[in-house]
Amino acid sequence: MVHLEFQDLLPIMARKLGGDGLINELCKGYRMLMDGEKGVITIDSLKKNSLLMGLQGFTEEELKNMIREGDMDGDGALDQIEFCILMFRLSPDLLHVAQEVIHKAKQQQNTVHL
């Protein structure tokens, strides 16, 4: 049986969905984890909604560390931009996929202009 880690899944999703599709999926994931009243991901909303995202194996301290790692403005929560940046940082191979997508888009653009 093959075991995939999160950092393995984002590049696969990017290849399958393309850039816009990946961003849409990240936005859906954000909305699933956020506190509906506050509009951000808090430790409480992450704990409450983490089962939806397959995060049931994490301790409270690990979830707090996730928030801390992505919290760029120091407010103790993740807004949508912070969440997306964190997801990209957690998946270093995604940079290679992004370069592939850009290269393909340039090729398509050059073909159209010929």
Side-chain angles (χ1 to χ4, degrees):
M1 183 169 98
V2 176
H3 177 71
L4 292 176
E5 296 290 329
F6 169 80
Q7 62 268 20
D8 300 322
L9 294 177
L10 239 101
I12 292 169
M13 289 175 59
R15 283 188 183 99
K16 183 176 180 179
L17 301 173
D20 290 340
L22 177 63
I23 296 299
N24 286 335
E25 288 303 309
L26 285 174
C27 290
K28 286 179 190 175
Y30 177 80
R31 287 190 300 272
M32 288 174 66
L33 292 173
M34 76 175 195
D35 179 307
E37 292 179 15
K38 296 179 181 177
V40 295
I41 297 174
T42 64
I43 185 61
D44 291 333
S45 71
L46 188 56
K47 284 191 297 189
K48 178 182 170 189
N49 299 320
S50 62
L51 291 176
L52 299 172
M53 302 293 286
L55 299 175
Q56 65 271 14
F58 289 97
T59 66
E60 182 169 345
E61 190 58 33
E62 289 170 320
L63 295 174
K64 286 180 182 178
N65 285 336
M66 285 181 201
I67 297 282
R68 272 188 229 116
E69 185 174 342
D71 183 14
M72 298 170 69
D73 60 10
D75 66 354
L78 299 179
D79 62 28
Q80 192 166 6
I81 297 296
E82 290 170 329
F83 174 77
C84 289
I85 290 170
L86 178 61
M87 295 300 100
F88 277 83
R89 283 184 27 220
L90 291 175
S91 184
D93 288 340
L94 196 56
L95 179 58
H96 300 295
V97 175
Q99 290 170 336
E100 289 173 18
V101 169
I102 290 169
H103 180 71
K104 286 180 184 176
K106 285 181 180 179
Q107 283 180 328
Q108 288 175 348
Q109 185 178 24
N110 288 339
T111 304
V112 170
H113 285 40
L114 292 179

